[in-house]
Amino acid sequence: MSNTNKMHFMFHKKPKSEAGFSKKQMSVWMLIFIDVLLAAVCLGAFSFYQIVLPKKLSSAELVVATTTDLDYSNFTLPDNNGTENNNIISVSPVVQTKEFTGQAPTNKPSGKAPTDNPSRVAQIGNFSNYGNTDTDNISANESDIAAFSNKLKTITEMNTYQSDNIQFTTNMVELGSGNDKVTYYISDIYVTNVKYIKTAFAKGTYARNITDSSLDMAAENGALLTISGDYYGNSEISIVIRNGILYRSTGNDADVCILFTDGTMKTYSPEDFDADEVIDEGAWQAWTFGPALLDGNGDIPGSFHTTDYLYGYQPRSAIGYIEQGHYVFVIVDGRCGGYSRGANLNELAQIMVDAGCVSAYNLDGGKSASMVYNNEYVNIPAQGGRDISDIIYLGE
Amino acid sequence: MKKIVTIIPHATIIMSIMFITLWILDQYNPNMNFLDSKLSNTLLLILFILSTVTSIIAVIFDRKLGRRDETPENRIE
């Protein structure tokens, strides 16, 4: 067979000598075009099954941790007669308080004291050994952190609440200007027991693709203050422990955050994480999204276990741990030039450092990032927000 | 049999395009779990089988073409 005829054979055409006797066939490019169209249809079906179709997940729902009023895990709320809120504003180089009328606690609960002082900011300067060793580890950027940290902050109190068991103050912090402006909301939270830090599933169901707005979920659960959770419903292979109940214990390749019944909160890399171990230690809540923002000692790690896309300027949701009984919720708004461009992971980590956190964890951000108080959004969710599969909330 | 032989390479193309797209999406946002789900694992197995069969068909075709080339009327002098 000649080379020309061979080519014709490969492209579904008979050799020229037989062409007059064969049926007219579709061109190869048309066939490939149809294949691409079919692939698009299949992707649509895949996405529908994966993202839209609700699927109730089976779970043994084992109770792995309980909290009681009489056990070791009780903390005292701070004295409310103080005049400054150390955990939010003290480490900022320049702070301009526009409206700050709330009374913030001064006496910290017993336990490990937060190291909310300027020396921590200085520690961030040492990045000489940091490196991007693989594509899943994005290096922390010293100049990003320094630039963000030096910006003038304007703080406005948004809400405050105090009862015998829960105390919190939420502030709106604005920094920068123009398209570089960042607006975030930070709640400084004290609880007498971790049982007041609760989580809830959309429509009360452990499932994939069952979602609801954080407003509705907050109302259904009588939440005092709510932030978006880790969107566990996106995955089939992440650890899910909620309010002491184990729904699944499979790990994936993301960092994990555990809130223990003794009030401590720790983050784990996928390599260090052992589900049985954390369950034995009394895991009250387990979230899988990440990455971990701090190293457990209040310092920003050398690199974040994430991707380039997730590292960039985005709306953010995060939880931070200062000491037993003392936490912060942070929501950074984004994708809205002139109001807030969002924060990258360096900047979010710096916010947590400024708040005095020793451990902090990035939760589901983007359109999911929302904070609800008194049945209203505290922040302005990006592009109107989206329905999500779970929330973290404070409830009596 | 002939129809199956015709359809399988197209199914392989379709599945390959799907997985290229899912891989790209996964690079942007691994938390969406496009490549880690049970469904994508099953589809991946199907792609492996289809690829194997397509490769076998290609090898058989190549052998047939080779034999044709060796017949006296098709030999290039």
Side-chain angles (χ1 to χ4, degrees), chain A residues 32-98:
Chain A
I32 290 171
F33 178 69
I34 291 169
D35 286 349
V36 172
L37 277 184
L38 285 171
V41 171
C42 290
L43 274 168
F46 178 88
S47 303
F48 178 76
Y49 179 84
Q50 197 75 2
I51 302 169
V52 181
L53 195 68
K55 293 182 284 288
K56 200 170 176 186
L57 298 169
S58 58
S59 166
E61 297 190 16
L62 291 171
V63 176
V64 293
T66 55
T67 58
T68 67
D69 288 327
L70 300 173
D71 69 10
Y72 61 93
S73 54
N74 285 325
F75 325 111
T76 51
L77 293 180
D79 180 0
N80 201 37
N81 295 324
T83 53
E84 65 171 348
N85 189 338
N86 292 329
N87 296 305
I88 293 176
I89 62 172
S90 66
V91 298
S92 305
V94 185
V95 177
Q96 177 190 338
T97 305
K98 192 166 72 180

Side-chain angles (χ1 to χ4, degrees), chain A residues 98-350:
Chain A
K98 192 166 72 180
E99 270 179 60
F100 188 66
T101 54
Q103 289 185 325
T106 51
N107 294 345
K108 308 250 181 310
S110 58
K112 192 179 170 187
T115 51
D116 50 350
N117 56 55
S119 65
R120 177 167 302 151
V121 178
Q123 288 167 23
I124 300 160
N126 183 12
F127 283 85
S128 56
N129 294 326
Y130 295 158
N132 194 355
T133 52
D134 84 48
T135 51
D136 288 329
N137 287 301
I138 310 296
S139 294
N141 185 308
E142 184 185 2
S143 58
D144 266 10
I145 294 170
F148 189 77
S149 196
N150 287 327
K151 282 179 181 164
L152 185 80
K153 293 182 176 73
T154 305
I155 300 171
T156 309
E157 187 180 293
M158 299 299 289
N159 57 60
T160 187
Y161 176 88
Q162 183 172 11
S163 71
D164 290 342
N165 300 311
I166 300 169
Q167 184 177 314
F168 62 82
T169 302
T170 305
N171 289 323
M172 176 174 77
V173 182
E174 297 167 280
L175 63 166
S177 59
N179 284 336
D180 198 38
K181 187 177 176 185
V182 177
T183 303
Y184 66 90
Y185 300 82
I186 181 162
S187 292
D188 191 32
I189 297 161
Y190 290 87
V191 291
T192 57
N193 192 300
V194 284
K195 71 180 180 181
Y196 300 112
I197 299 180
K198 302 178 184 183
T199 50
F201 296 139
K203 306 198 189 325
T205 309
Y206 170 63
R208 273 195 73 135
N209 301 331
I210 290 185
T211 57
D212 204 351
S213 72
S214 45
L215 273 179
D216 289 346
M217 279 190 267
E220 279 167 21
N221 293 283
L224 298 168
L225 182 73
T226 302
I227 59 165
S228 42
D230 66 350
Y231 214 129
Y232 78 95
N234 247 353
S235 173
E236 293 160 359
I237 49 163
S238 58
I239 184 162
V240 179
I241 299 173
R242 299 299 154 91
N243 306 324
I245 297 169
L246 173 69
Y247 290 89
R248 67 182 179 220
S249 59
T250 49
N252 60 15
D253 60 353
D255 291 344
V256 177
C257 179
I258 307 287
L259 177 64
F260 292 97
T261 50
D262 66 359
T264 57
M265 191 183 92
K266 292 178 188 167
T267 56
Y268 298 84
S269 67
E271 297 80 30
D272 297 336
F273 181 68
D274 183 334
D276 294 333
E277 195 180 302
V278 299
I279 288 167
D280 288 345
E281 287 175 21
W284 174 242
Q285 312 284 358
W287 298 288
T288 309
F289 196 92
L293 299 166
L294 301 179
D295 62 1
N297 296 311
D299 295 321
I300 298 174
S303 61
F304 299 107
H305 187 213
T306 187
T307 66
D308 280 328
Y309 174 73
L310 294 176
Y311 169 82
Y313 297 132
Q314 301 285 354
R316 301 283 179 185
S317 173
I319 185 168
Y321 165 71
I322 296 171
E323 61 185 334
Q324 289 166 305
H326 190 185
Y327 313 88
V328 293
F329 289 171
V330 171
I331 296 290
V332 183
D333 276 345
R335 299 178 188 168
C336 184
Y339 164 65
S340 184
R341 62 160 160 76
N344 64 29
L345 289 173
N346 273 322
E347 294 168 343
L348 184 62
Q350 183 57 44

Side-chain angles (χ1 to χ4, degrees), chain A residues 1 35 49-50 235-236 309, chain B residues 10 28 33 37-38 69 74:
Chain A
M1 188 186 283
D35 286 349
Y49 179 84
Q50 197 75 2
S235 173
E236 293 160 359
Y309 174 73
Chain B
H10 292 290
Y28 279 101
N33 283 291
S37 68
K38 282 177 191 168
D69 286 347
N74 286 322

